[in-house]
Amino acid sequence: MAENTALDTIEVHPITFPPDVLARISPELSLQRHLSLGIRPCLRKYEEFREVTIENNTLSRYVDTENVNAKNNILGSNVLKSGKTIVITSITGGIIEENSASIKDLDDFGEEELYEITKEENVVANYASIYPVVEVERGRVGACTDEEMTISQKLYDSVLHSRILPKQALKVKAGVRSVNEDGTLSVLYPDELENDPSNETNLKMKRKWSYVLYAKIIVLSRTGPVFDLCWNSLMYALQNVKLPRAFIDERASDLRMTIRTRGRSATIRETYEILCDQTKSLPLMINSQNIAFASNYGVIDLDPESQLQDPDNAEEEVDIDMDEARSVLIADLDTEAEETSIHSTISVIANAKGNYTQLTLVGAGAKITPNMIKRSLLLSKVRANDLSTRLNT
C-alpha cells in the first residue's frame, strides 16, 4: 500500500491592524513604529509639550468680592487642561490652636537671644505645607490607589521643601468682637490698630491659632503621568488663596474663674469658638519667587527591528545593525503607549529664572546620559517661563 506523500499546502496571509488597534494590542510596537517616523502616537514631536489652558479662581467663594458666598468653603481654585486631561484643584482650610509656643514667640529677651545663638540649621522648620488628596477618576469607587497616595505624599513633601508657604503666613491675627454703646457689634483686628497711636487697646492674645490648608485634586480623562499636572494646578491655586479673617468675642478673650472644692483649688478657662468673618479676607502671603512648575520627560531606545521598511523595497532584506540603536528624549509623556513603554524618566521642577527645586531620575530602561539631563533642564526652564505667564493672561 503506497503511502500518501503529498503535503498539504498552507497559505499565510499577513494581518494588518489600524493604528488604534495596534496601540491596544502592542503599545510598545506601536510607539516604536511612530518614533521611527519622527513622531509620537499623539502626533507631537519628541520635545513638544501639550497646550495648557487654565481657569483661575472660578470656584472660590471670593470670586465676587462684593457678594461673598458664605456657603462655599473653597478659598482658592484652579482648573487646568492639558491635552485631553483636566485637573481640578480646590483649596479649603481650617483653624487649629497652637498647643505649645515656640521660642521665637516668647517675649522674654533672654529666650529670644538664646534662640539666635542656637538657631536651627534646618530652615525648612520655618515653612509649612498643604495637605493634598489626589483622586484620579477612572469610573470606579473605593479606597484610594497606591498611585494616588504616592502622588499626594510627593506633593506634600515638594511644597514643604520648596519653601513656598512660610508658617508666619498662616498665623491667625484674631480680632475681638465687642458691643458698642449703641448696642451694635464691631470687630477690631490687631493690624488695623497698628497705625493708630491714639488707640491703647491691646489685642494680643495669650492663645495662638494657625490656618491649615487642604487641597482636593481631581484628575479627569487621564492619558499619561499626572504628577506634573497636579503640581502645576496646585501652584496656580495657591496664588489665588484668600484666608478669611477670624475673631473671638471680647468676654472670652481672657476669662478665667477659680473654684474650690474640698480644700483643692483649680482654674477653669472658659471654652469658646473662634469665628470667621463672612466678608473680610486676606490674601495668602506666599514666597512667590519660589513658585516653580513641573515637567516630565522619558528616555527610550529606538528599536531598529521595529522600523518601517520602504514600501518600494519591501522584498529586499534589510541589514540591521544593533550597535546603531540610539536613545531619544521624549518631553511631556502622553498616551498609554508612552507611559507603559518608557521606563527611564526625568522629572524637573523649575522656575522661569532657572532655579531648580527638584530633579528626579528613574533609570529602569534606557540609559540617561548627562546631555539628556542638560537638555531636560533647559526645556524645563523654557516651559516654566511659559507657564508662569499664564496666570496673568
Side-chain angles (χ1 to χ4, degrees):
M1 185 176 180
E3 295 182 358
N4 185 11
T5 58
L7 299 177
D8 296 334
T9 59
I10 300 176
E11 295 182 0
V12 178
H13 299 281
I15 301 176
T16 59
F17 298 99
D20 55 340
V21 177
L22 180 61
R24 291 194 294 267
I25 296 176
S26 180
E28 186 173 0
L29 177 59
S30 174
L31 176 61
Q32 289 289 348
R33 290 288 178 87
H34 282 86
L35 295 180
S36 66
L37 299 175
I39 59 174
R40 299 156 60 178
C42 56
L43 303 182
R44 288 188 283 124
K45 299 179 180 179
Y46 291 167
E47 297 181 353
E48 183 179 355
F49 290 88
R50 287 172 288 180
E51 180 63 26
V52 173
T53 59
I54 62 171
E55 296 181 6
N56 285 314
N57 223 29
T58 56
L59 306 177
S60 172
R61 63 181 295 173
Y62 299 112
V63 175
D64 187 358
T65 55
E66 296 181 356
N67 298 315
V68 177
N69 185 2
K71 296 182 180 180
N72 186 357
N73 64 344
I74 298 177
L75 306 179
S77 67
N78 171 263
V79 179
L80 182 146
K81 183 178 181 182
S82 178
K84 296 180 181 179
T85 305
I86 300 176
V87 180
I88 303 175
T89 301
S90 56
I91 296 180
T92 58
I95 296 178
I96 59 174
E97 183 177 356
E98 299 178 4
N99 294 326
S100 59
S102 64
I103 300 179
K104 294 178 65 176
D105 295 330
L106 298 178
D107 296 331
D108 186 80
F109 176 77
E111 294 292 345
E112 184 177 355
E113 185 179 20
L114 178 63
Y115 172 79
E116 293 297 333
I117 297 176
T118 62
K119 195 172 184 179
E120 298 180 13
E121 296 180 358
N122 187 10
V123 185
V124 180
N126 297 323
Y127 294 87
S129 186
I130 189 170
Y131 296 90
V133 176
V134 178
E135 296 182 5
V136 181
E137 298 295 335
R138 291 176 176 169
R140 51 113 180 105
V141 294
C144 57
T145 63
D146 292 341
E147 180 192 30
E148 293 171 338
M149 290 189 292
T150 302
I151 295 176
S152 300
Q153 183 63 43
K154 188 176 181 180
L155 288 172
Y156 174 87
D157 295 335
S158 299
V159 172
L160 177 63
H161 292 279
S162 296
R163 304 176 186 178
I164 296 175
L165 193 56
K167 286 185 178 179
Q168 193 63 31
L170 297 177
K171 297 289 185 179
V172 177
K173 298 180 179 180
V176 175
R177 182 176 62 182
S178 58
V179 181
N180 300 325
E181 296 179 356
D182 56 357
T184 58
L185 297 176
S186 62
V187 181
L188 298 178
Y189 294 100
D191 55 340
E192 295 178 350
L193 303 177
E194 290 178 355
N195 299 326
D196 188 2
S198 62
N199 197 315
E200 300 178 355
T201 306
N202 185 7
L203 297 180
K204 291 185 178 180
M205 305 292 177
K206 293 183 178 181
R207 305 176 68 175
K208 298 181 181 299
W209 301 268
S210 293
Y211 296 100
V212 59
L213 299 179
Y214 308 92
K216 184 174 183 180
I217 305 175
I218 301 177
V219 182
L220 305 174
S221 303
R222 171 199 173 150
T223 59
V226 296
F227 169 77
D228 57 321
L229 300 181
C230 294
W231 171 270
N232 294 339
S233 181
L234 182 60
M235 290 298 100
Y236 286 126
L238 273 176
Q239 297 179 76
N240 297 314
V241 170
K242 291 185 178 181
L243 302 175
R245 306 227 60 169
F247 61 88
I248 61 173
D249 195 83
E250 66 175 347
R251 65 183 183 87
S253 59
D254 191 16
L255 178 60
R256 296 183 180 183
M257 63 177 63
T258 303
I259 60 174
R260 190 178 297 274
T261 56
R262 295 183 181 181
R264 297 179 180 180
S265 60
T267 301
I268 298 178
R269 184 191 294 269
E270 181 181 351
T271 59
Y272 57 90
E273 294 182 352
I274 185 168
L275 306 175
C276 291
D277 198 312
Q278 298 293 337
T279 57
K280 293 185 178 181
S281 63
L282 292 174
L284 177 63
M285 304 303 294
I286 62 176
N287 289 337
S288 57
Q289 69 273 13
N290 291 344
I291 291 292
F293 296 93
S295 54
N296 70 84
Y297 307 87
V299 180
I300 186 172
D301 292 329
L302 296 181
D303 186 6
E305 295 183 350
S306 300
Q307 294 183 6
L308 295 175
Q309 300 180 7
D310 188 353
D312 297 334
N313 301 323
E315 297 181 357
E316 297 182 3
E317 295 184 359
V318 180
D319 295 332
I320 299 176
D321 188 0
M322 298 303 296
D323 295 335
E324 293 182 356
R326 62 187 182 92
S327 301
V328 295
L329 182 69
I330 305 296
D332 194 12
L333 300 183
D334 192 18
T335 72
E336 182 180 358
E338 293 183 359
E339 186 176 11
T340 58
S341 302
I342 300 177
H343 305 291
S344 296
T345 58
I346 303 174
S347 179
V348 182
I349 299 179
N351 61 15
K353 296 181 179 180
N355 299 323
Y356 299 95
T357 303
Q358 186 180 102
L359 173 64
T360 305
L361 304 178
V362 178
K367 182 179 179 180
I368 302 177
T369 63
N371 289 333
M372 290 183 177
I373 298 177
K374 293 179 181 178
R375 183 61 180 171
S376 63
L377 294 177
L378 177 60
L379 292 174
S380 299
K381 178 182 177 181
V382 177
R383 178 66 166 174
N385 185 31
D386 175 62
L387 294 178
S388 62
T389 60
R390 302 297 180 94
L391 189 63
N392 300 324
T393 57

